[in-house]
Amino acid sequence: MNNIDNKPTKKRGNKKAQLFTTSQYIVPQQLLSKVVGKVAASKNPLVTKAFVHTFAKVYGIKMNDYARPDLDDYDSFNDFFTRELADNARPIDQTPNGIVSPADGMVSQIGRINREQILQAKGREYDIGHLLASIEEGRYFQNGTFATVYLAPSNYHRVHMPFDGTLIKTRYLPGTLFSVNNTTADNVLDLFARNERMVCLFDTEFGTAAVVLVGAMIVAGIETVATGKMKRSTTTIQEQTHHIPLKKGDELGRFYLGSTAIVILPEAANTQWQVGLQHESVIKMGELMGTASVSSQKMAGANI
C-alpha cells in the first residue's frame, strides 16, 4: 500500500480553494464519516424525512428516473441515497465491444496511462501501482487506458459494470477520506491512491481489467455485490477471490454519499475513447465511453 504522509501538499488556485483543501487535513475524517454514517442509517421517521427532504431540495434532485419517486417512501437516508432506478431509466449502450460509463457523474479525467502514471488533474499524476496496492498489477496496466468518473452528491449512486467480465478479485484498502471533487484533486498529492478504496479485478475478453471505487469525505461506506458493505479498518487490507460473471450494465456496487469510480483497461484492449469526452463532460450510467479492440484470441500475456 502506498505510504504517503498526511502533510498538506503545495496548494494551487485561489485562496478559497486553498482554505478548503487545508481544512480537510484538520478535520477528523474518519470520525466525521462515522457520525454521518450513523445518522444516515437511522430509521427514525422524523430524522429520515428531515434529511431526505432537505437533501433533495438543496441538491435539486429530480425523482422522475427512480423506482420510488415519492421522497416519503424511503426508510432511512441511506435507503434514499442508494435509491434504485426505474426500469429502462438508463439504457445500456449495445455498441459491439463498447465500454460504458459505470455511473452517473462527471468525467474528472480520461485518457492513456503514461507508463504507470495516471492523470489526476492538470499537471498532477499518481502511480497506478499505488492505486491498486500492487506493483505487479501496476506494471501490467502500464500504457493502458483509464476513465475517472466523479459522482456528485446529487447523482445516482450505484456503480455498474462498464463491460462484460468475471469478477475474480476484490481488494479493500483503508485510507484517508479527502473530498474527491476537482478542487481537492487539483491540490492533494496522490488523492485517489491515498483515500479509502475498493479495487475490483475482472477477467474480460481483452484481458484483466479493473474498476476502483474510491471513498471520500463523509462517505459512510463502500459496498459491492461480492463483499457487501465493508467494515472500515484503519490498517488492514482485505483481499478476496471470486468467480462472479457480470454483464455490462449489471450492478457492481454502491457508495453511501458522493465519490469516484475509475475504469482501468490494459494496453491489449487498445481502447479508443469517444471523441469529445473530456474533463468535466457530464455522463450517465450506460452511455458509451469508448470501444475496445477484441481479437478472436486474447493476446499472450493479456492477463495478470
Side-chain angles (χ1 to χ4, degrees):
M1 187 174 176
N2 190 12
N3 292 319
I4 302 172
D5 62 36
N6 285 328
K7 295 179 181 178
T9 55
K10 185 177 180 181
K11 307 299 184 299
R12 306 190 294 188
N14 58 40
K15 290 184 178 180
K16 185 177 180 181
Q18 293 175 15
L19 179 62
F20 172 71
T21 303
T22 301
S23 68
Q24 295 182 63
Y25 290 91
I26 300 171
V27 299
Q29 297 174 345
Q30 296 287 346
L31 177 60
L32 179 60
S33 292
K34 185 176 181 180
V35 170
V36 171
K38 286 187 176 181
V39 174
S42 171
K43 293 189 177 182
N44 182 304
L46 295 178
V47 172
T48 298
K49 185 173 182 178
F51 271 79
V52 168
H53 281 260
T54 300
F55 191 89
K57 182 177 180 180
V58 168
Y59 286 100
I61 297 174
K62 307 298 183 185
M63 299 297 293
N64 301 353
D65 286 348
Y66 297 98
R68 292 176 285 167
D70 189 335
L71 294 176
D72 293 328
D73 283 346
Y74 297 89
D75 63 10
S76 70
F77 183 77
N78 277 343
D79 185 31
F80 166 72
F81 200 81
T82 58
R83 57 197 178 272
E84 66 274 29
L85 290 167
D87 292 342
N88 302 316
R90 297 289 184 276
I92 307 303
D93 185 273
Q94 295 301 316
T95 299
N97 304 330
I99 309 297
V100 303
S101 177
D104 285 10
M106 181 186 71
V107 175
S108 175
Q109 298 292 341
I110 188 168
R112 296 206 169 273
I113 299 168
N114 180 19
R115 295 186 180 178
E116 295 178 29
Q117 297 296 304
I118 297 182
L119 183 65
Q120 174 177 299
K122 186 177 180 180
R124 203 181 280 288
E125 296 179 324
Y126 64 97
D127 189 275
I128 190 170
H130 290 164
L131 175 70
L132 304 175
S134 169
I135 294 174
E136 179 186 7
E137 291 167 11
R139 288 173 179 165
Y140 167 79
F141 284 111
Q142 66 180 347
N143 300 320
T145 50
F146 77 98
T148 303
V149 178
Y150 166 68
L151 290 73
S154 60
N155 288 133
Y156 166 65
H157 266 76
R158 299 191 185 191
V159 178
H160 294 250
M161 289 291 292
F163 40 67
D164 293 344
T166 298
L167 179 63
I168 56 174
K169 184 184 293 184
T170 55
R171 181 181 300 124
Y172 170 75
L173 301 159
T176 56
L177 291 171
F178 288 98
S179 170
V180 288
N181 61 19
N182 282 337
T183 298
T184 313
D186 191 50
N187 284 283
V188 175
L189 182 68
D190 292 337
L191 172 63
F192 302 123
R194 67 198 300 174
N195 265 16
E196 174 193 34
R197 57 203 182 277
M198 175 72 80
V199 176
C200 300
L201 293 171
F202 304 90
D203 184 24
T204 75
E205 288 185 280
F206 39 82
T208 303
V211 177
V212 182
L213 284 66
V214 184
M217 181 74 75
I218 311 181
V219 169
I222 298 173
E223 178 177 330
T224 74
V225 294
T227 62
K229 188 176 180 182
M230 298 303 299
K231 293 183 179 180
R232 283 207 163 111
S233 166
T234 57
T235 58
T236 306
I237 295 174
Q238 300 174 46
E239 185 169 292
Q240 301 178 43
T241 57
H242 312 277
H243 186 83
I244 304 175
L246 295 165
K247 291 291 186 181
K248 184 178 357 181
D250 285 353
E251 184 178 338
L252 172 62
R254 59 186 70 173
F255 290 112
Y256 294 85
L257 288 178
S259 203
T260 289
I262 306 172
V263 179
I264 303 169
L265 301 160
E267 184 178 17
N270 191 29
T271 309
Q272 301 297 314
W273 297 121
Q274 288 284 86
V275 175
L277 200 58
Q278 59 188 351
H279 174 60
E280 296 192 342
S281 292
V282 175
I283 196 163
K284 289 186 176 181
M285 189 277 289
E287 290 182 347
L288 185 66
M289 297 188 80
T291 56
S293 300
V294 182
S295 61
S296 58
Q297 185 175 8
K298 291 180 185 177
M299 293 176 59
N303 290 82
I304 298 173

